[in-house]
Amino acid sequence: MASHRKSRSTGTRVAGIRTPALATAALTSVALLSQTANAAPSDDRPSLEEVEKKVDDLYRQAGSATEKYNAAKEKTSKQRKKVDTLLDDVAKRTQKLNDARTELGSFASAQYRTGASVPETATLLLADSPQDYFDQNQLMNRLTGRQKTAVDDYVTQQSATMKKRREATEGLDTLTDSQNDLKTAKSTVQKKLATARELLSELTAEEKARLAAIEKKKQEEAARKAAELAKQQAAAEEAERKRQEEAAQQQGSGSSSGSSESSTPGSSNGTQAQKALAFAQAQIGKPYVWGATGPGSYDCSGLTQAAWKAAGVTLPRTTYDQVNAGTTVSVSQAQPGDLVFFYDDISHVGLYVGDGKMVHAPKPGAYVREESIFYDGESSIYSVVRPA
């Protein structure tokens, strides 16, 4: 009779054993916890976008540290030259002091032979400074004119020597500080680059492919912005050319070709900029090496410095100083040869080619290349400077 049958338990079977509903729920919870535990490592792992941002940030930080390294290196080099000069001067002063002491010694010997004021003269030679005895009229009255001159020379040389020795000591202390700054900056660069390489090494082949695709998309966007800038600049140049043509016609002088030529940069500036740009383009394909100034490799400011040096213009070593070595212009007014600076800390620089592009030494692991000035987004551009 179906109506008298007991209803079956709503549990499930595990390995042939019927389990109550509560046990089933517990097993389900255990399974879910097990899955969560297994998934935890991958959940803690940063996303590809986070890795990309972290690597980019590390490269920028390394670039900033590189410029600090360049500044410390330049300061160390100058300080070392200054110290060497001071030490040479100390050596010369010491020799002159020894000569003055020898001359005074000859007077002491002569006085000893003649029985003259040996004690006073001997004491004078043993004293730290003969200046202490200048107030003793009895001794000074016994000295001949030549002896007085010798004492004066001794005092002068001793004072000058002591001063130079103090300057040399201070210079050595400053040199030590500069060398410590150099070591710190170098260590910072190495640590940033090592961290970036470690992050990249942990990516799978699939993630690396995706990262390459993201980078390609960024480059395409940068190229698009460069093309827009090129059109804007071309339109502005054409408008300026027409304006100058109309002005020349109204004045009854000048020609279309002459007006067009005057719309280009000044002859001196244009020639120097062309030489700088030609040099930079000739370096395309050479590796980026932080702290390098050529000829086999460059960092960003090393390249721009070398390029303008080839044009006869001396630029400072670091981006921090190069940004002040000319006239600031807007991005829309950029001309070939101008320096384009990046980021709020002014840690990167490139040489403007035209059409929204530049030649630069990008970062470790890359080579000198030509690409859009918008390679890292429009907001990354700090300023544009015309050196000459």
Side-chain angles (χ1 to χ4, degrees):
M1 312 261 275
S3 59
H4 297 287
R5 292 178 182 174
K6 291 184 179 180
S7 59
R8 292 185 178 182
S9 171
T10 57
T12 58
R13 289 178 176 271
V14 178
I17 302 175
R18 182 179 294 160
T19 61
L22 184 60
T24 301
L27 288 172
T28 303
S29 299
V30 170
L32 289 174
L33 288 172
S34 177
Q35 293 174 2
T36 302
N38 292 333
S42 60
D43 290 342
D44 292 340
R45 186 176 180 181
S47 67
L48 187 60
E49 289 74 15
E50 290 173 334
V51 171
E52 181 198 23
K53 185 179 183 306
K54 182 65 174 177
V55 169
D56 287 344
D57 287 344
L58 285 166
Y59 276 134
R60 280 197 290 271
Q61 292 170 23
S64 180
T66 296
E67 291 307 311
K68 291 178 181 178
Y69 169 85
N70 292 337
K73 185 177 181 180
E74 186 176 39
K75 182 179 179 181
T76 300
S77 178
K78 290 180 179 179
Q79 191 62 31
R80 183 176 287 111
K81 290 179 181 178
K82 181 179 179 180
V83 168
D84 288 344
T85 300
L86 286 170
L87 291 175
D88 288 342
D89 203 0
V90 167
K92 293 176 182 178
R93 295 283 183 183
T94 302
Q95 183 59 49
K96 290 181 179 179
L97 180 63
N98 290 336
D99 293 341
R101 184 181 288 113
T102 299
E103 186 172 7
L104 283 177
S106 66
F107 291 141
S109 298
Q111 288 175 330
Y112 179 79
R113 289 193 299 272
T114 60
S117 307
V118 176
E120 290 90 342
T121 307
T123 304
L124 180 64
L125 288 171
L126 294 173
D128 291 336
S129 173
Q131 185 67 46
D132 297 338
Y133 294 90
F134 275 12
D135 295 331
Q136 299 180 19
N137 295 328
Q138 183 178 3
L139 174 62
M140 294 304 295
N141 290 334
R142 294 177 183 175
L143 297 177
T144 66
R146 184 180 176 188
Q147 288 173 320
K148 289 181 179 179
T149 300
V151 171
D152 287 341
D153 186 48
Y154 178 84
V155 172
T156 300
Q157 295 301 333
Q158 186 183 57
S159 177
T161 301
M162 292 175 66
K163 180 181 178 181
K164 289 298 179 181
R165 283 175 178 170
R166 286 195 299 269
E167 291 178 0
T169 300
E170 292 171 357
L172 286 170
D173 291 340
T174 303
L175 177 60
T176 300
D177 292 340
S178 298
Q179 289 173 329
N180 289 336
D181 291 342
L182 187 64
K183 291 178 181 177
T184 299
K186 182 177 182 179
S187 176
T188 301
V189 175
Q190 292 173 330
K191 288 178 180 177
K192 299 296 183 185
L193 296 181
T195 303
R197 285 193 291 266
E198 183 179 355
L199 285 172
L200 290 173
S201 68
E202 293 174 353
L203 296 178
T204 64
E206 181 181 355
E207 287 173 330
K208 289 179 180 179
R210 286 173 55 200
L211 193 61
I214 293 174
E215 181 63 25
K216 182 179 179 181
K217 188 175 181 180
K218 286 174 59 178
Q219 291 178 356
E220 290 173 350
E221 177 62 16
R224 184 187 67 78
K225 285 185 174 292
E228 289 180 359
L229 177 60
K231 288 180 181 179
Q232 293 172 5
Q233 291 178 328
E237 289 175 2
E238 179 63 18
E240 177 63 15
R241 184 185 66 79
K242 288 182 178 179
R243 187 193 67 78
Q244 292 190 9
E245 282 182 353
E246 292 173 357
Q249 290 173 357
Q250 289 176 359
Q251 293 176 0
S253 62
S255 63
S256 174
S257 59
S259 299
S260 176
E261 183 178 352
S262 64
S263 68
T264 61
S267 57
S268 176
N269 172 272
T271 300
Q272 289 177 314
Q274 289 170 6
K275 288 181 179 179
L277 185 56
F279 179 93
Q281 290 175 319
Q283 311 313 307
I284 291 177
K286 292 184 178 180
Y288 174 104
V289 174
W290 62 274
T293 57
S297 58
Y298 298 89
D299 64 15
C300 65
S301 57
L303 175 63
T304 51
Q305 183 189 47
W308 273 99
K309 182 179 180 180
V313 176
T314 301
L315 291 182
R317 175 63 182 95
T318 68
T319 54
Y320 313 130
D321 293 324
Q322 288 183 9
V323 74
N324 297 315
T327 304
T328 301
V329 299
S330 66
V331 174
S332 62
Q333 294 177 323
Q335 295 176 353
D338 288 351
L339 303 176
V340 186
F341 294 91
F342 297 85
Y343 313 120
D344 291 338
D345 61 356
I346 321 175
S347 57
H348 190 65
V349 63
L351 200 71
Y352 192 66
V353 175
D355 295 335
K357 298 178 181 179
M358 67 176 174
V359 175
H360 70 146
K363 59 185 179 181
Y367 297 84
V368 176
R369 66 192 183 203
E370 182 177 307
E371 67 180 330
S372 168
I373 63 173
F374 303 103
Y375 80 106
D376 202 19
E378 187 172 0
S379 62
S380 67
I381 299 176
Y382 179 84
S383 67
V384 179
V385 172
R386 189 160 300 150

